[in-house]
Amino acid sequence: MIRPVRAAIELGAGGDVLATALRAVHHANRHCPREDFVAIAFPKMRMGRAMMLPGDDLELLGSETSLAAFQALDGTKTLERRGMIEPFEIGESFAEIGQEGAAYLRDRSCERHTAGWLRRSAARAERRGKPLGKPVEPRANDTKTLVLQHGDAVLHVREVLGIYTGAPLMVSTYGLSRAGELAVLPVYADAHIKAHDAV
């Protein structure tokens, strides 16, 4: 679990902690075998007034080897050295098949309607000397997805509640689930509490 200390949150540095941790996960995953990638979860993800918010906690799931590689990276060490995060501990996850869980899916459907995507598509078509294709209207960000800035990339993350099956958790280098292979992680998110309260 990556959790900013209270002082970092109060100073508004929670977003910096999250961004640094996400970059470190991406870096670690790019240097690990695909079956040993670190998966990320936002168990405190919630709807704010106008947009989805990540919450303060970032939960990481992976093997001891991949989590140790994450912990050894400069970005993670900097967070620890500056006292920006709670002490980092690697613990064993006790997951039972059939328990409630959540997948954190990179939703590319939102990205195809952003001004940046449309601009890059037009430039790509011009370089290739091909027609642009079916016009796509730009639209505002989907408020049901969490929008994360990851370097120059913008990631739209959707939380999908599901059942943990015990199948191998295959995620992208960002630590996120893919649409074709949903990786339901054994995490109990705030969204489960809301779902139970609504019943």
Side-chain angles (χ1 to χ4, degrees):
M1 180 81 70
I2 300 294
R3 178 176 291 151
V5 295
R6 179 57 45 196
I9 295 168
E10 289 172 357
L11 290 170
D16 295 332
V17 170
L18 177 63
T20 301
L22 290 175
R23 282 194 303 271
V25 166
H26 183 52
H27 185 78
N29 284 348
R30 288 177 58 214
H31 295 89
C32 288
R34 185 168 188 266
E35 63 276 4
D36 199 23
F37 281 0
V38 175
I40 60 173
F42 301 91
K44 303 292 182 187
M45 188 169 156
R46 67 190 184 286
M47 187 65 192
R49 287 187 179 176
M51 57 193 283
M52 194 64 78
L53 301 172
D56 295 323
D57 296 346
L58 179 65
E59 194 166 332
L60 307 179
L61 293 97
S63 69
E64 278 189 42
T65 304
S66 60
L67 291 173
F70 164 82
Q71 192 176 8
L73 291 170
D74 287 342
T76 312
K77 285 183 174 180
T78 299
L79 292 175
E80 289 182 305
R81 189 175 59 250
R82 292 181 180 168
M84 296 179 74
I85 57 174
E86 300 285 342
F88 184 79
E89 295 179 16
I90 297 177
E92 189 173 347
S93 176
F94 296 99
E96 293 183 15
I97 293 173
Q99 77 179 50
E100 292 176 308
Y104 295 87
L105 170 71
R106 181 176 182 188
D107 190 344
R108 288 181 169 272
S109 65
C110 304
E111 297 171 21
R112 292 188 175 93
H113 293 272
T114 62
W117 178 281
L118 298 175
R119 190 175 54 252
R120 288 190 301 276
S121 296
R124 190 179 310 114
E126 188 176 331
R127 275 195 318 272
R128 295 176 179 170
K130 295 185 176 182
L132 182 57
K134 184 178 170 185
V136 177
E137 290 295 319
R139 65 181 183 211
N141 280 332
D142 179 357
T143 58
K144 292 188 174 122
T145 62
L146 173 64
V147 180
L148 298 173
Q149 189 73 33
H150 192 285
D152 292 334
V154 176
L155 306 178
H156 294 258
V157 181
R158 187 177 303 279
E159 182 178 57
V160 179
L161 300 183
I163 300 298
Y164 176 67
T165 63
L169 299 173
M170 304 303 281
V171 294
S172 70
T173 55
Y174 292 113
L176 298 169
S177 190
R178 293 187 171 103
E181 45 186 342
L182 208 59
V184 177
L185 309 174
V187 296
Y188 192 73
D190 282 4
H192 287 110
I193 298 168
K194 289 180 185 169
H196 288 301
D197 288 347
V199 173

